Amino acid sequence: KKLEKNFPLNFNKKLKLDEQFYKLISFKKIAIVGPSSNFSENGKEIDSYDVVVRMNQADNIGLSKKFKGIKTDVIYFNGTKTEKLINKNDFAYINKAKFLIFKTEGYVNLFKTLNLKNVRRNMNIDNFLSIGSANMLPYIIYDLINYSPKKIKIFDNDLMINPTRMKNYQTEKINNKEKFLKIIFEHDPLSQFNIIKKMIKKYKNIQGDKRFN
């Protein structure tokens, strides 16, 4: 009930938008590519989009022209992957992206001191979930719709209901039942589904690939 009544679907006029990110996203066709292990040959279609958004993509491992495409314009990072990125101390790949987006101001400030270009914080929607916190997809969709994209298409996302991930995305194994259930409880699939369903219902320009639909 809390989710249904309070989730802010309308554009927030009081929100201060990043002008450079607005120029990149507004009235563009956006592909959001997730980490699900998928053998659908979507690579060509993904790379045809104006802007390709990826999740926690710290290097080019797992990318291919045939399946997931190779184009990377925007990368969103969660806290766990950001910490691993910092510890690895190799920013060569991500620095080629047009925008890097992190969960906290602390991370943003850190990467700015490292001279990474176009770094910003994403919008927090955790308070609007009934249980747990949002996984990457609801964060990304809500962040993007505030920047007026022409179209969004979602590829290779399953809301964490399948533990199989592309190579190098999940270094620790989560096919163990206990570990997988822990992630499910932290990122409740039903809450994720409800919040995404509301956004798709409101914004007719959001679509998904065959598996997502």
Side-chain angles (χ1 to χ4, degrees), residues 46-108:
I46 289 169
D47 285 343
S48 72
Y49 276 71
D50 299 321
V51 178
V52 176
V53 175
R54 298 188 187 273
M55 305 175 182
N56 297 314
Q57 190 74 43
D59 50 43
N60 63 359
I61 295 176
L63 305 185
S64 69
K65 291 183 178 180
K66 186 175 183 180
F67 297 111
K68 286 186 175 289
I70 58 174
K71 184 177 178 181
T72 302
D73 297 300
V74 179
I75 311 173
Y76 284 78
F77 287 94
N78 63 21
T80 301
K81 295 299 181 182
T82 302
E83 290 295 330
K84 290 183 177 181
L85 186 63
I86 293 168
N87 292 333
K88 188 178 179 181
N89 196 32
D90 181 0
F91 313 122
Y93 177 79
I94 67 170
N95 206 26
K96 297 176 184 177
K98 295 175 182 176
F99 256 94
L100 302 171
I101 303 175
F102 299 94
K103 290 192 72 173
T104 70
E105 281 298 328
Y107 288 139
V108 169

Side-chain angles (χ1 to χ4, degrees), residues 1-210:
K1 292 180 180 179
K2 175 185 174 184
L3 170 69
E4 293 298 318
K5 290 181 179 179
N6 298 328
F7 184 66
L9 282 172
N10 293 321
F11 173 72
N12 187 348
K13 294 181 179 180
K14 296 182 180 179
L15 188 69
K16 185 177 180 180
L17 297 179
D18 185 298
E19 292 183 7
Q20 293 303 314
F21 196 62
Y22 183 82
K23 289 179 181 178
L24 179 66
I25 300 299
S26 61
F27 310 110
K28 303 292 198 321
K29 295 180 180 179
I30 314 295
I32 301 175
V33 186
S36 298
S37 182
N38 189 357
F39 296 102
S40 297
E41 297 181 7
N42 292 323
K44 186 175 180 180
E45 181 183 359
I46 289 169
D47 285 343
S48 72
Y49 276 71
D50 299 321
V51 178
V52 176
V53 175
R54 298 188 187 273
M55 305 175 182
N56 297 314
Q57 190 74 43
D59 50 43
N60 63 359
I61 295 176
L63 305 185
S64 69
K65 291 183 178 180
K66 186 175 183 180
F67 297 111
K68 286 186 175 289
I70 58 174
K71 184 177 178 181
T72 302
D73 297 300
V74 179
I75 311 173
Y76 284 78
F77 287 94
N78 63 21
T80 301
K81 295 299 181 182
T82 302
E83 290 295 330
K84 290 183 177 181
L85 186 63
I86 293 168
N87 292 333
K88 188 178 179 181
N89 196 32
D90 181 0
F91 313 122
Y93 177 79
I94 67 170
N95 206 26
K96 297 176 184 177
K98 295 175 182 176
F99 256 94
L100 302 171
I101 303 175
F102 299 94
K103 290 192 72 173
T104 70
E105 281 298 328
Y107 288 139
V108 169
N109 293 333
L110 172 63
F111 284 103
K112 283 182 177 179
T113 64
L114 297 172
N115 296 319
L116 270 71
K117 59 185 179 181
N118 292 337
V119 180
R120 58 174 288 263
R121 179 184 177 181
N122 69 306
M123 301 175 192
N124 192 340
I125 59 171
D126 287 346
N127 291 337
F128 299 100
L129 269 71
S130 300
I131 302 173
S133 60
N135 62 25
M136 295 297 290
L137 186 58
Y139 269 125
I140 294 172
I141 295 175
Y142 184 67
D143 194 46
L144 291 174
I145 60 176
N146 280 277
Y147 285 86
S148 305
K150 180 177 181 180
K151 173 184 177 182
I152 294 175
K153 186 165 182 179
I154 302 160
F155 296 87
D156 299 346
N157 276 276
D158 57 19
L159 303 182
M160 295 295 295
I161 60 175
N162 186 329
T164 307
R165 291 289 174 266
M166 60 186 280
K167 185 178 180 181
N168 203 44
Y169 183 88
Q170 194 80 35
T171 53
E172 64 274 14
K173 293 183 178 181
I174 58 173
N175 52 4
N176 174 280
K177 183 178 179 180
E178 184 178 344
K179 289 181 179 179
F180 184 57
L181 287 176
K182 181 180 178 182
I183 293 175
I184 290 296
F185 289 135
E186 290 175 352
H187 304 291
D188 172 50
L190 183 58
S191 293
Q192 315 294 325
F193 175 82
N194 284 336
I195 209 167
I196 291 173
K197 183 179 179 181
K198 286 198 72 177
M199 289 190 284
I200 289 176
K201 187 176 181 180
K202 170 73 176 182
Y203 296 94
K204 307 301 183 183
N205 59 345
I206 303 174
Q207 303 172 359
D209 61 11
K210 184 177 180 181

